[in-house]
Amino acid sequence: MLAADFLVFSSILSAAWCQAGIKALYPKTLNATSGSCLVIPCQFNISKEKEVFLDRSPVATWLRGSLWSLYDTDNFTNAHRQLEPQMKMVGDLRKKNCTSVMMNLTSLHSDRYFFRLQSEGFSVRETKSVQINVSDSLAEPRVIVPVLREGEVGNLTCTVPAPCPSATPNVTWDPALGGNITQWTQLNADGTQSVQSILNFIPSLRHHELKVNCVSTHLRDREDKPLLSHKTVILNVEYPPKETQISLTGSVWLGNNLTLTCQSNANPSAAHRWFMKKEGFLTCAFLYCGP
Ligand SMILES: *[C@@H]1O[C@H](CO)[C@@H](O)[C@H](O)[C@H]1NC(C)=O
Ligand SMILES: *[C@@H]1O[C@H](CO)[C@@H](O)[C@H](O)[C@H]1NC(C)=O
Ligand SMILES: *[C@@H]1O[C@H](CO)[C@@H](O)[C@H](O)[C@H]1NC(C)=O
Ligand SMILES: *[C@@H]1O[C@H](CO)[C@@H](O)[C@H](O)[C@H]1NC(C)=O
Ligand SMILES: *[C@@H]1O[C@H](CO)[C@@H](O)[C@H](O)[C@H]1NC(C)=O
Ligand SMILES: *[C@@H]1O[C@H](CO)[C@@H](O)[C@H](O)[C@H]1NC(C)=O
Ligand SMILES: *[C@@H]1O[C@H](CO)[C@@H](O)[C@H](O)[C@H]1NC(C)=O
Ligand SMILES: *[C@@H]1O[C@H](CO)[C@@H](O)[C@H](O)[C@H]1NC(C)=O
Ligand SMILES: *[C@@H]1O[C@H](CO)[C@@H](O)[C@H](O)[C@H]1NC(C)=O
Ligand SMILES: *[C@@H]1O[C@H](CO)[C@@H](O)[C@H](O)[C@H]1NC(C)=O
């Protein structure tokens, strides 16, 4: 009991000290795919008097994070070496860029990680962690479908996270609707990356209520079968009235009631009006406020 109290006490002390020593900035949570890698975008600030240490080739590590490993030392890390993901520092520490890559991840690596910088006679830790979740499945794509109008160029946008730049997902459309596809990698505000695919096409009547899939494909280091994930959207194409028809029930006799029906196919459905230009001549007209 005494020992436990002491532990908590000393870890609070060291946390307070660390906060003064370093301020690192990285996302609070990151998702990764098992069998792949993960980039942790990271930047840090360090107190003026400690900046000299940056020229003495400090070692940057990510401590796997219960209170134990945060408090405890390399002994814990060594004892659990097989549970530690392989790491690579890709940022330039002298430029306060601590961007790192975790490689060959499995779901066993899901945990909190704390950034630590060390060199001789110097060690600082960030007290906020990044929660890394490694999943065996691929994130579902996000698809944006704007209002589509018949005959007017429209585009569908599909975005999928790309946590590992050396294995970016491939985004395809099924069906591709005879359109043009543009794909690029975009940088998000938190430093992570996404792949975006834009399908540029001309909607027609036959695309109305059609199901379209955005499919994300991800090749993995250790597997021959790629991972797949998809999102299905149903298109809604607006079009002006078509196939206008007038039908008549009842007999055209004086004093008889006659029912005239005016029909048309439009999306959104159009309102109609009757016009009588001349005695005996009726016109049915649809109002359409489309393009
Ligand atoms: C991680 O994945 C979960 C579940 O798929 C999702 O809800 C969450 O938004 C994702 N987080 C990030 C930072 O992408
Ligand atoms: C580092 O300090 C600069 C200047 O005060 C600030 O603009 C920047 O956001 C800080 N970066 C981090 C990671 O705290
Ligand atoms: C470090 O771990 C080893 C075995 O993993 C153990 O024998 C040793 O006593 C530990 N040292 C400390 C200081 O806890
Ligand atoms: C940090 O380094 C990584 C890897 O070299 C680079 O992609 C990223 O743009 C750098 N970040 C900043 C803010 O310079
Ligand atoms: C990835 O990890 C597996 C088992 O954890 C290992 O067999 C394989 O060699 C590793 N691959 C790389 C490229 O490190
Ligand atoms: C990550 O995993 C933790 C623990 O399983 C869970 O509590 C958290 O909601 C997950 N976060 C995301 C963004 O999926
Ligand atoms: C997508 O469509 C909108 C509106 O039609 C247009 O402004 C935009 O430039 C299009 N984007 C691409 C990449 O075609
Ligand atoms: C991506 O998908 C396209 C279209 O299906 C295909 O031609 C290409 O080879 C794929 N690339 C990868 C890396 O899977
Ligand atoms: C697709 O690209 C071709 C060649 O650049 C162009 O002629 C065509 O109009 C484009 N189609 C659409 C739907 O934007
Ligand atoms: C015609 O319809 C009106 C109103 O529904 C009704 O009052 C009238 O009796 C009908 N006339 C005949 C001949 O069916």
Side-chain angles (χ1 to χ4, degrees):
M1 220 38 219
L2 243 162
D5 284 345
F6 172 72
L7 250 180
V8 171
F9 177 62
S10 69
S11 76
I12 290 168
L13 264 187
S14 87
W17 182 79
C18 286
Q19 209 146 27
I22 192 167
K23 173 89 191 70
L25 192 69
Y26 38 80
K28 276 196 185 67
T29 63
L30 284 173
N31 291 337
T33 308
S34 82
S36 189
C37 79
L38 171 71
V39 169
I40 310 170
C42 177
Q43 281 174 275
F44 67 94
N45 276 343
I46 193 165
S47 56
K48 261 278 179 311
E49 64 270 23
K50 293 207 169 72
E51 270 184 4
V52 291
F53 288 103
L54 295 181
D55 293 325
R56 299 184 193 166
S57 10
V59 177
T61 39
W62 292 85
L63 294 173
R64 186 163 181 167
S66 58
L67 184 62
W68 273 104
S69 61
L70 179 63
Y71 168 70
D72 199 21
T73 54
D74 299 318
N75 210 34
F76 176 91
T77 309
N78 287 334
H80 296 80
R81 180 67 68 197
Q82 72 277 15
L83 291 177
E84 300 285 321
Q86 293 170 268
M87 308 266 193
K88 200 165 87 189
M89 175 60 50
V90 293
D92 185 346
L93 289 174
R94 278 167 306 176
K95 289 184 179 148
K96 297 173 188 162
N97 183 339
C98 43
T99 300
S100 310
V101 184
M102 288 186 179
M103 286 167 296
N104 204 3
L105 288 167
T106 75
S107 54
L108 292 174
H109 294 132
S110 297
D111 210 334
R112 297 191 298 161
Y113 290 85
F114 298 82
F115 181 68
R116 178 178 68 177
L117 200 56
Q118 283 181 302
S119 76
E120 237 182 282
F122 159 77
S123 174
V124 282
R125 292 167 188 181
E126 169 58 57
T127 52
K128 284 198 228 59
S129 63
V130 51
Q131 167 74 41
I132 290 173
N133 286 9
V134 186
S135 162
D136 290 328
S137 58
L138 212 51
E140 189 179 78
R142 275 187 303 118
V143 182
I144 301 169
V145 185
V147 173
L148 297 169
R149 293 203 172 97
E150 186 188 23
E152 263 185 47
V153 174
N155 45 45
L156 310 182
T157 307
C158 183
T159 311
V160 301
C164 179
S166 60
T168 54
N170 202 8
V171 184
T172 52
W173 294 90
D174 178 33
L177 308 172
N180 291 337
I181 295 165
T182 320
Q183 181 174 317
W184 70 78
T185 303
Q186 70 173 23
L187 193 63
N188 302 317
D190 64 357
T192 59
Q193 295 186 348
S194 300
V195 170
Q196 197 166 71
S197 176
I198 296 188
L199 172 62
N200 199 247
F201 74 113
I202 299 174
S204 73
L205 190 55
R206 71 196 157 84
H207 294 143
H208 183 52
E209 289 178 345
L210 187 71
K211 280 184 185 163
V212 177
N213 295 294
C214 171
V215 186
S216 165
T217 316
H218 184 85
L219 298 169
R220 290 183 296 172
D221 294 345
R222 280 176 279 132
E223 318 276 333
D224 359 311
K225 267 210 308 191
L227 272 180
L228 289 177
S229 172
H230 76 279
K231 171 87 182 169
T232 306
V233 291
I234 299 174
L235 303 186
N236 180 28
V237 180
E238 297 192 346
Y239 54 89
K242 294 183 191 307
E243 301 145 20
T244 302
Q245 284 175 344
I246 296 178
S247 58
L248 184 152
T249 49
S251 33
V252 197
W253 283 342
L254 200 64
N256 234 10
N257 279 342
L258 198 61
T259 308
L260 284 172
T261 313
C262 185
Q263 270 185 324
S264 177
N265 177 14
N267 179 40
S269 59
H272 68 272
R273 295 264 167 82
W274 289 101
F275 298 98
M276 192 183 292
K277 288 229 172 104
K278 258 194 324 185
E279 202 75 5
F281 287 88
L282 271 175
T283 305
C284 162
F286 282 91
L287 305 173
Y288 182 69
C289 308

